[in-house]
């Protein structure tokens, strides 16, 4: 089934280059689950177009299947560099094996990302605290999970 679905999915994504695949899962009972994201977000119409690209080219007489096409949810962790690029300027919570960082996504490149945040630290001399600008460069291979923090 994957051999039939993958080219249909790729053709559907080619028709809208701002969309990209996050996950394709096909269960043993032929439940096809496609998760997509887009550089400018994903509209219901986008999900419908991808669904049609797959469903209209599979024969239900040949194989029984169910199909679900959805957008990557807000609570879903980021998986692809393209998702990080899309979220530049937003607040991210990044877990590594050693620590959890939360800050503004300031930069994205092929190796990793840069987070920036402000922290209150004791003054070097005297009493009280001072606000300092912090920055961390996190390589992708060190990221266990990264999520966009939604603020209201």
């Amino acid at each position: 089934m994957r051999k039939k679905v993958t080219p249909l999915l790729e053709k559907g994504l080619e028709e809208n280059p701002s969309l990209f695949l996050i996950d394709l899962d096909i269960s043993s009972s032929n439940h096809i689950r496609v998760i997509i994201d887009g550089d400018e977000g994903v509209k219901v119409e986008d999900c419908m177009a991808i669904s049609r690209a797959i469903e209209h080219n599979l024969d239900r007489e040949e194989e029984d299947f169910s199909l679900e096409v959805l957008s990557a949810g807000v609570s879903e962790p980021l998986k692809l560099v393209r998702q990080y690029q899309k979220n530049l300027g937003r607040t991210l919570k990044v877990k590594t094996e050693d620590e959890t960082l939360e800050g503004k996504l300031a930069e994205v490149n092929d190796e990793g990302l840069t987070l920036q945040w402000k922290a209150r630290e004791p003054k070097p001399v005297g009493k009280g605290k001072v606000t300092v600008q912090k920055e961390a460069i996190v390589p992708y291979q060190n990221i266990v999970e990264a999520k966009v923090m939604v603020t209201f």
Side-chain angles (χ1 to χ4, degrees):
M1 187 62 135
R2 184 173 287 277
K3 287 179 183 175
K4 293 178 183 177
V5 172
T6 302
L8 298 173
L9 175 59
E10 288 171 354
K11 188 171 188 270
L13 290 171
E14 282 174 16
E15 292 173 13
N16 188 343
S18 74
L19 298 177
F20 51 94
L21 178 67
I22 300 297
D23 192 29
L24 168 62
D25 182 54
I26 303 173
S27 72
S28 58
S29 61
N30 281 346
H31 175 74
I32 305 163
R33 187 168 190 256
V34 179
I35 301 175
I36 59 173
D37 202 348
D39 296 325
E40 290 97 39
V42 178
K43 299 181 194 108
V44 173
E45 293 82 9
D46 297 329
C47 291
M48 290 168 50
I50 297 299
S51 178
R52 281 191 205 107
I54 297 169
E55 189 171 11
H56 290 187
N57 292 296
L58 291 177
D59 187 0
R60 286 201 183 270
E61 299 296 321
E62 205 175 288
E63 288 192 70
D64 189 31
F65 66 91
S66 63
L67 175 62
E68 183 180 24
V69 179
L70 27 122
S71 64
V74 174
S75 62
E76 294 292 313
L78 303 180
K79 294 182 179 181
L80 305 174
V81 173
R82 197 164 170 182
Q83 287 180 293
Y84 289 103
Q85 291 168 338
K86 168 187 159 183
N87 287 291
L88 271 169
R90 296 184 76 183
T91 301
L92 251 59
K93 185 178 216 173
V94 177
K95 291 180 187 175
T96 66
E97 292 175 9
D98 303 325
E99 61 187 338
T100 299
L101 303 168
E102 189 171 325
K104 184 178 120 190
L105 181 57
E107 187 180 329
V108 176
N109 59 40
D110 292 339
E111 288 83 42
L113 55 93
T114 303
L115 289 178
Q116 295 177 339
W117 68 96
K118 291 182 179 173
R120 299 282 294 162
E121 292 184 350
K123 286 183 178 179
V125 177
K127 294 182 180 182
K129 293 189 175 199
V130 63
T131 301
V132 294
Q133 183 71 33
K134 299 284 220 168
E135 184 174 280
I137 297 170
V138 185
Y140 294 120
Q141 69 261 20
N142 293 356
I143 297 174
V144 174
E145 181 181 78
K147 288 186 176 184
V148 174
M149 302 307 294
V150 180
T151 53
F152 297 98

